[in-house]
Amino acid sequence: MLRMSPRVELSPLTLSDQDEFCTLVRASTELHRPWMQLPATPEEFQVWMRRFEDGTNQGLLVRVRETGEAAGMVNINSIIRGRYQGASLGYAAFAPSAGYGYMTEGLTATLQYAFTDLRLHRLEANIQPANKASLALVQRLGFHYEGVSPAYLYIDGGWRDHERWAITAPSPWTPDPSLPEV
Ligand SMILES: CC(C)(COP(=O)(O)OP(=O)(O)OC[C@H]1O[C@@H](n2cnc3c(N)ncnc32)[C@H](O)[C@@H]1OP(=O)(O)O)[C@@H](O)C(=O)NCCC(=O)NCCS
């Protein structure tokens, strides 16, 4: 387990989560469409898990401590070191536990993990302007609006404009050794 908060815990997504994950994704089709497409079959899941092998992306699960059920997933994607020290977040709730504040709590824990343990300096979330639930979520977390990136991501069969929202590490911040000294 990576982080714990009053109601949820954050753990790495593993191959053993396959059946639970796919079942929850299938139960969440209406919630996720048209914003997010996640693996819904064992084959898709196994292909998808390969993206976490080289450390560039990390897959996390948000679990409700009381019941153990998975409330949602978070990906820390495209981790870039050097002078950037940043990454991009992807996330989705699972329908049975959406709307209880678990994702707000899980993402708060993700920010702590990313800024403290991974020593990242910046996280961004790219969100389609009509995705009101996601925009509300990042505002609750303290992200700042930076602007619109036209045709930024290929989602649901088209290149969609996205609002770019970002947050930087609170101070004091301990840099990763990969940050150049000057
Ligand atoms: C965006 C998304 C992850 C938000 O998930 P969620 O489950 O609604 O998130 P939360 O439950 O943490 O927060 C939402 C609501 O819970 C409420 N809430 C209920 N109980 C709460 C509690 N105990 N503590 C805090 N908040 C609570 C919040 O106030 C908020 O309500 P409001 O929106 O009516 O004001 C979800 O809508 C989703 O999966 N969307 C599809 C995928 C997607 O768009 N991903 C992002 C692409 S950019």
Side-chain angles (χ1 to χ4, degrees):
M1 196 221 314
L2 301 169
R3 286 270 159 174
M4 201 192 283
S5 65
R7 295 188 303 155
V8 304
E9 60 184 41
L10 199 63
S11 42
L13 182 68
T14 68
L15 286 169
S16 64
D17 297 311
Q18 172 182 291
D19 292 348
E20 182 188 14
F21 190 95
C22 293
T23 302
L24 286 165
V25 166
R26 287 196 298 272
S28 307
T29 314
E30 279 182 38
L31 174 68
H32 293 173
R33 191 188 293 137
W35 316 119
M36 189 77 145
Q37 205 173 1
L38 291 169
T41 66
E43 295 71 29
E44 288 170 2
F45 184 83
Q46 284 153 30
V47 170
W48 197 68
M49 285 299 285
R50 289 195 207 129
R51 73 178 60 196
F52 305 121
E53 284 171 4
D54 73 356
T56 306
N57 310 301
Q58 289 200 18
L60 311 173
L61 268 187
V62 177
R63 283 193 186 280
V64 180
R65 288 174 60 193
E66 197 172 70
T67 59
E69 71 179 323
M73 52 73 62
V74 183
N75 281 355
I76 304 177
N77 286 322
S78 311
I79 298 172
I80 296 172
R81 293 293 182 178
R83 295 188 184 278
Y84 186 62
Q85 302 290 332
S88 171
L89 293 183
Y91 46 82
F94 294 131
S97 30
Y100 292 99
Y102 295 135
M103 287 307 288
T104 304
E105 212 172 303
L107 277 159
T108 300
T110 302
L111 300 189
Q112 290 164 357
Y113 167 66
F115 291 140
T116 307
D117 300 356
L118 300 182
R119 298 187 180 181
L120 292 173
H121 176 254
R122 170 189 159 91
L123 293 170
E124 61 179 58
N126 294 287
I127 306 171
Q128 293 183 61
N131 191 348
K132 300 301 175 203
S134 185
L135 291 170
L137 182 56
V138 293
Q139 286 174 74
R140 277 200 293 282
L141 295 166
F143 281 61
H144 301 288
Y145 175 73
E146 292 187 336
V148 174
S149 305
Y152 185 68
L153 291 174
Y154 190 75
I155 305 282
D156 194 35
W159 290 98
R160 311 292 177 194
D161 297 353
H162 281 69
E163 292 187 9
R164 196 171 59 256
W165 289 77
I167 188 167
T168 50
S171 47
W173 174 70
T174 307
D176 186 79
S178 62
L179 181 72
E181 276 179 30
V182 288

